[in-house]
């Protein structure tokens, strides 16, 4: 389907009709010396991922909106010719939309949040014909399927986040997809024995004053028993898999990854995953869990050889290697967490890189080009905090909202691109800088890094509001 794209002037970008984001101006963004930032597209709705074809075609994912707390927006896959500016629509989604995309041999591979289950689709961009190659991944709650990426072995790698936010399905989940899928819950990647610690909460499905007791790996309102064994499944939540390009040979490499939204292979063939921290709110609250980048060790093993997946800690371990009930993770907001698993598997940490809590690491990519510079560095889109909703820590209010450059060998990192004033541009009326970076990918010419900006999301102590038509695609070029 054709999509209307209108070229405009720089002056017009200072008086856009989207009142939530009336100004887009790269002069408000601090970039490294020798680089130039420019807006490529404005007016996108909830963009959440992108990927290049070798000819420079850029496939953009608009995630849509299916949460009951947001107006409905249709999810789409758009194709942008970065040479001419022409754009068309490849496909659309009715349920939870696409989250990650990659190109291989003339075919698009797309991860889709879906409804009750997430899936991986193969799409012919010339006809729009779609084939679902992996289905039945637990979804219907909070978190997302990841980037799909191809490894040096020609296999397809992808992940899928947790259904619950902090390990137990709780009332906050009814503000997102759990309202439509109230029996959805987390599924472990291997057998686990429960401690019997349940969580009491209000019951949004019944009139006041009824309360509900919910256990881990259970739908909302169902309690767990001490010593109860929950069987692990190949298609679990918080998992990471690989398979052949037709979906056969599915193998679980890891689980316990809370929200592994970004996946990327280094030039050395090592696989890394971004992951978001547990949150300091609600009836199972955890403070100061760092955002992180994990090294997925099992990606180096021969296909079909992993008998036991690695466990990265969710729902009982923080990324610093301490349990959720450790004194250093005691929350200032919400009820302190108790451990849920009585026989936790060996922890697969430590993390390759730890970032401050509530930075919200998203999609990422390694630089493979001397033309851009910083070859072998990992560039991560940092969406930015949901404080004060997800933590009362005032220091978290301006975390993220940048592109972070990570050295995976030394475990160090720094902001590579960010606004001149802290936080999102909308925090400073009249500013036209970036809002919420959600993806960054290198153009095949190796000279430019494209930055996908989700758009304006206003955060209050009790809720968030995301605004359609405020997403922006930026391009950072070495000059």
């Amino acid at each position: 389907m054709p999509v209307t794209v209108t070229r405009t002037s720089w002056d017009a970008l200072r008086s856009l009709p989207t009142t939530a984001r009336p100004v887009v101006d790269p002069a408000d963004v601090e970039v490294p010396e020798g680089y130039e930032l420019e807006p490529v597209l404005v007016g996108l709705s909830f963009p959440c991922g992108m990927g290049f074809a070798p000819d420079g075609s850029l496939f953009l994912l608009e995630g849509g909106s299916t949460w009951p707390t947001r107006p409905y927006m249709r999810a789409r896959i758009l194709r942008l010719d970065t040479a001419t500016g022409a754009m068309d629509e490849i496909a659309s989604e009715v349920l939870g939309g696409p989250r990650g995309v990659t190109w291989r041999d003339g075919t698009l591979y797309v991860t889709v949040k879906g409804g009750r289950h997430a899936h991986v689709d193969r799409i012919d961009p010339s006809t729009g014909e779609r084939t679902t190659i992996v289905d039945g991944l637990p979804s219907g709650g909070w978190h997302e399927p990841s980037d799909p990426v191809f490894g040096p072995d020609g296999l397809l790698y992808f992940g899928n986040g947790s259904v619950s936010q902090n390990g137990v399905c709780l009332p906050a989940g009814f503000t997102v997809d759990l309202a439509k899928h109230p029996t959805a819950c987390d599924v472990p990647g291997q057998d686990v024995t429960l401690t019997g610690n349940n969580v009491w909460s209000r019951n949004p499905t019944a009139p006041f004053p009824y309360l509900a007791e919910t256990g881990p790996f259970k739908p909302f309102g169902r309690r767990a028993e001490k010593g109860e064994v929950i069987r692990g499944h190949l298609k679990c939540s918080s998992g990471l898999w690989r398979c052949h390009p037709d979906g056969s040979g599915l193998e679980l490499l890891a689980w316990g990854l809370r929200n592994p939204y970004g996946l990327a292979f280094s030039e050395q063939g090592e696989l890394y995953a971004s992951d978001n921290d547990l949150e300091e709110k609600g009836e199972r609250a955890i403070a100061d869990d760092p955002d992180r980048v994990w090294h997925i060790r099992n990606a180096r093993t021969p296909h079909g050889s992993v008998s036991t997946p690695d466990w990265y800690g969710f729902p009982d371990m923080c990324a610093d290697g301490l349990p959720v009930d450790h004194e250093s993770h005691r929350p200032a907001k919400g009820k302190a967490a108790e451990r849920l698993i009585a026989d936790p598997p060996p922890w697969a940490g430590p993390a390759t890189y730890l970032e401050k809590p509530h930075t919200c690491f998203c999609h990422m990519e390694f630089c493979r080009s001397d033309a851009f510079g910083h070859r072998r560095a990992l560039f991560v889109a940092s969406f930015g905090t949901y404080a004060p909703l997800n933590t009362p820590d005032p220091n978290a209010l301006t975390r993220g909202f940048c592109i972070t450059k990570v050295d995976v060998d030394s475990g160090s990192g720094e902001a590579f691109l960010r606004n001149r004033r802290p936080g999102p541009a909308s925090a400073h009326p009249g500013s036209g800088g970036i809002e919420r970076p959600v993806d960054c990918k290198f153009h095949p010419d190796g000279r430019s890094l494209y930055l996908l900006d989700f758009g304006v999301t206003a955060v209050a102590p009790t809720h968030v509001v995301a605004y359609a038509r405020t997403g922006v695609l930026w391009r950072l070029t070495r000059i």
Side-chain angles (χ1 to χ4, degrees):
M1 178 182 298
V3 177
T4 301
V5 180
T6 303
R7 294 186 183 278
T8 192
S9 65
W10 285 96
D11 286 343
L13 295 180
R14 299 199 62 81
S15 58
L16 293 167
T18 46
T19 53
R21 192 175 195 177
V23 181
V24 172
D25 188 350
D28 291 325
V29 183
E30 183 176 290
V31 301
E33 185 176 353
Y35 292 82
E36 180 181 64
L37 183 68
E38 56 188 327
V40 177
L41 285 173
V42 302
L44 296 167
S45 292
F46 311 136
C48 56
M50 61 181 175
F52 276 102
D55 67 355
S57 297
L58 178 60
F59 296 92
L60 294 160
L61 311 180
E62 286 187 321
S65 174
T66 59
W67 292 4
T69 52
R70 294 180 183 174
Y72 173 75
M73 292 295 294
R74 191 164 62 97
R76 304 187 294 178
I77 302 175
L78 305 173
R79 174 172 48 193
L80 173 68
D81 184 329
T82 55
T84 67
M87 192 160 72
D88 62 347
E89 179 183 314
I90 300 296
S92 65
E93 300 283 345
V94 175
L95 300 174
R99 293 295 187 265
V101 60
T102 192
W103 170 278
R104 182 81 164 189
D105 298 332
T107 299
L108 288 180
Y109 292 81
V110 182
T111 55
V112 183
K113 184 168 174 57
R116 179 68 175 79
H117 295 109
H119 49 97
V120 183
D121 291 351
R122 192 169 58 185
I123 298 175
D124 183 336
S126 63
T127 65
E129 181 181 356
R130 177 198 304 256
T131 303
T132 297
I133 59 172
V134 177
D135 202 355
L137 303 175
S139 186
W142 280 98
H143 294 132
E144 320 286 341
S146 77
D147 279 314
V149 294
F150 277 92
D153 52 10
L155 299 171
L156 181 65
Y157 291 73
F158 59 93
N160 188 39
S162 62
V163 173
S164 71
Q165 195 168 48
N166 273 9
V168 177
C169 291
L170 293 170
F174 287 81
T175 65
V176 295
D177 287 338
L178 202 63
K180 291 175 289 186
H181 310 285
T183 61
C185 65
D186 285 313
V187 177
Q190 62 193 109
D191 295 355
V192 294
T193 303
L194 303 184
T195 60
N197 288 324
N198 295 296
V199 178
W200 282 98
S201 70
R202 67 181 177 87
N203 186 348
T205 69
F208 180 83
Y210 296 114
L211 300 178
E213 187 180 21
T214 307
F217 309 107
K218 303 277 188 179
F220 177 78
R222 297 185 191 175
R223 57 174 285 119
E225 303 297 333
K226 183 177 180 179
E228 181 179 354
V229 175
I230 304 294
R231 298 297 180 192
H233 289 265
L234 170 63
K235 293 180 179 178
C236 61
S237 55
S238 71
L240 193 151
W241 301 260
R242 62 184 170 192
C243 65
H244 293 293
D246 64 358
S248 64
L250 184 67
E251 181 178 31
L252 179 64
L253 302 181
W255 75 286
L257 299 150
R258 182 174 177 269
N259 192 20
Y261 202 41
L263 295 187
F265 274 97
S266 68
E267 284 192 286
Q268 293 74 34
E270 302 292 343
L271 179 61
Y272 296 87
S274 67
D275 193 12
N276 300 147
D277 58 270
L278 294 153
E279 299 189 355
E280 188 180 4
K281 68 171 187 177
E283 297 83 355
R284 189 175 191 264
I286 298 103
D288 294 329
D289 179 26
D291 265 53
R292 54 271 195 170
V293 174
W294 300 109
H295 178 213
I296 307 300
R297 300 176 304 194
N298 275 339
R300 295 291 289 182
T301 61
H303 185 212
S305 66
V306 177
S307 58
T308 302
D310 278 344
W311 180 66
Y312 284 82
F314 182 84
D316 272 357
M317 293 279 288
C318 294
D320 57 8
L322 297 174
V324 295
D325 57 355
H326 189 272
E327 184 177 354
S328 64
H329 293 297
R330 185 166 294 277
K333 175 184 176 183
K335 182 182 177 183
E338 299 177 304
R339 296 190 214 187
L340 305 173
I341 300 176
D343 58 346
W347 184 51
T352 296
Y353 176 69
L354 294 178
E355 184 52 276
K356 292 178 180 176
H358 307 289
T359 300
C360 194
F361 273 2
C362 291
H363 295 301
M364 59 190 194
E365 187 165 73
F366 281 93
C367 180
R368 299 169 182 267
S369 167
D370 292 323
F372 184 83
H374 307 283
R375 186 165 184 164
R376 291 182 287 280
L378 177 64
F379 289 79
V380 188
S382 300
F383 188 83
T385 183
Y386 269 5
L389 173 63
N390 289 354
T391 176
D393 183 358
N395 296 316
L397 289 170
T398 58
R399 288 177 184 163
F401 311 103
C402 66
I403 297 297
T404 303
K405 180 169 69 76
V406 175
D407 182 333
V408 297
D409 294 326
S410 66
S412 60
E414 60 182 350
F416 185 73
L417 177 155
R418 61 185 173 191
N419 287 328
R420 296 190 185 280
R421 290 188 283 181
S426 54
H428 308 284
S431 175
I434 56 178
E435 287 290 334
R436 292 186 175 271
V438 70
D439 200 353
C440 54
K441 291 289 189 298
F442 286 93
H443 191 282
D445 68 10
R447 295 185 57 245
S448 300
L449 177 67
Y450 280 64
L451 160 61
L452 191 60
D453 181 340
F454 182 82
V456 176
T457 300
V459 184
T462 56
H463 64 279
V464 299
V465 178
Y467 291 90
R469 315 294 189 200
T470 62
V472 174
L473 177 68
W474 304 85
R475 177 171 54 212
L476 180 69
T477 304
R478 189 177 186 183
I479 55 178

